[in-house]
Amino acid sequence: MAEAEFVRFLEAARSDPGLLARYSPMDLPRVLFHARNDGFGFTEADAERVIGRLEADVVIHKDKEPFDGSSALWRHMWGMRYLDYLVDHVVARYSREELA
């Protein structure tokens, strides 16, 4: 399942600062290209579905806030590269078991 591949990519970025640093400045098309070359098989649609579910779960279940523009999670995104935000403020909220 390709969505599981994107989760595997996020876990790798969380556990390997070098990988995160290499991918962080890339836009999504470059991430997709290089990730495929590094053995991660996912599409933009796979990434969007996983990100949407993870963000919604953080806001609604972990932070117990309404899923709207007032969520505290969105403030972490400001001034950050998107992949850094995902790894440091979304993926970091999950255990390996929760991501599986």
Side-chain angles (χ1 to χ4, degrees), residues 23-99:
Y23 278 93
S24 184
M26 295 181 189
D27 60 13
L28 185 56
R30 287 181 58 214
V31 167
L32 293 170
F33 175 80
H34 290 286
R36 182 160 303 280
N37 289 333
D38 286 341
F40 299 99
F42 59 87
T43 66
E44 181 176 349
D46 299 323
E48 289 173 352
R49 282 190 298 272
V50 170
I51 291 166
R53 280 195 293 257
L54 292 176
E55 286 178 329
D57 187 65
V58 166
V59 171
I60 295 167
H61 296 109
K62 293 184 179 285
D63 292 343
K64 305 211 182 309
E65 296 178 334
F67 192 71
D68 61 21
S70 69
S71 167
L73 180 64
W74 311 137
R75 289 181 218 122
H76 294 292
M77 196 183 310
W78 299 345
M80 292 191 80
R81 291 179 170 153
Y82 193 67
L83 186 58
D84 292 331
Y85 150 77
L86 281 176
V87 170
D88 294 342
H89 297 285
V90 178
V91 177
R93 303 283 302 272
Y94 292 89
S95 68
R96 276 190 144 59
E97 294 76 27
E98 288 174 311
L99 287 173

